[in-house]
Amino acid sequence: MISQPSRHCTVELQALPSRIRQVRRIVSAQLRYWHLDPLVDLAELGVTELLTNVHRHAEPDKMCAVEIELLGDRLTVSVSDHDPRPPVVRDADALATCGRGLAMVASVSESWGVRPAADGGKVVWFTLPAPSPAVSVPAYPVYRSSAALRAEAPEHAPARSAVAG
């Protein structure tokens, strides 16, 4: 089930590898719809790591919910599951292939944390700073006279050498 009231989206799923790929695509599409393209890669990385933790560690089941919410200039991504045990941050070797998920989430996010969920489970979340809204582009091109363009040009442009050095 997907709900999208305004700047909020929730996806409920069973954290299986095939579903994780689908949720990555959903998160990507939602952020692009909100014109938050610069956050897509970081949000996908973070949600992948959190869902992988649910897949590998959560008990009694792998059911969870991914929630993304834009409030002001902050995007919050959270994953809730039914396991009350908090995740463990490990000091993994830089070449390790597992055990680095939360460290990666911490390194790419502005902040992150864990809180108890109302159902007795937990919610792991992270925030990303949202870019400011794009500057509006005029509907029609703005033309300037050649005199205005010459006035804006620098007096001395650096010389380019025709000979490669």
Side-chain angles (χ1 to χ4, degrees):
M1 174 182 162
I2 301 174
S3 63
Q4 299 173 346
S6 185
R7 298 288 183 137
H8 180 261
C9 177
T10 302
V11 180
E12 296 176 357
L13 69 142
Q14 187 175 15
L16 301 174
S18 62
R19 299 290 296 167
I20 294 170
R21 285 190 295 274
Q22 291 172 345
V23 171
R24 283 174 56 99
R25 287 193 298 271
I26 291 169
V27 167
S28 173
Q30 188 65 52
L31 293 181
R32 289 181 200 288
Y33 179 73
W34 290 344
H35 304 288
L36 296 174
D37 299 45
L39 300 182
V40 168
D41 291 339
L42 297 176
E44 281 184 341
L45 172 68
V47 80
T48 299
E49 294 302 327
L50 296 183
L51 287 173
T52 300
N53 282 350
V54 173
H55 172 69
R56 289 185 177 166
H57 306 293
E59 295 181 16
D61 58 31
K62 307 300 180 191
M63 294 305 297
C64 63
V66 174
E67 185 175 358
I68 56 175
E69 184 172 27
L70 181 64
L71 289 174
D73 62 352
R74 296 286 170 270
L75 178 74
T76 301
V77 179
S78 60
V79 175
S80 58
D81 63 50
H82 299 121
D83 191 339
R85 298 174 299 159
V88 177
V89 181
R90 297 184 181 142
D91 290 329
D93 181 275
L95 300 176
T97 57
C98 63
R100 302 181 319 161
L102 287 175
M104 288 180 12
V105 169
S107 71
V108 302
S109 65
E110 185 176 66
S111 60
W112 77 278
V114 181
R115 68 178 183 269
D119 67 358
K122 68 178 169 305
V123 178
V124 183
W125 56 269
F126 65 92
T127 63
L128 298 170
S132 57
V135 176
S136 63
V137 178
Y140 300 98
V142 176
Y143 295 100
R144 289 180 255 171
S145 69
S146 57
L149 292 174
R150 279 194 301 276
E152 293 174 10
E155 286 185 33
H156 303 286
R160 291 188 180 174
S161 172
V163 179

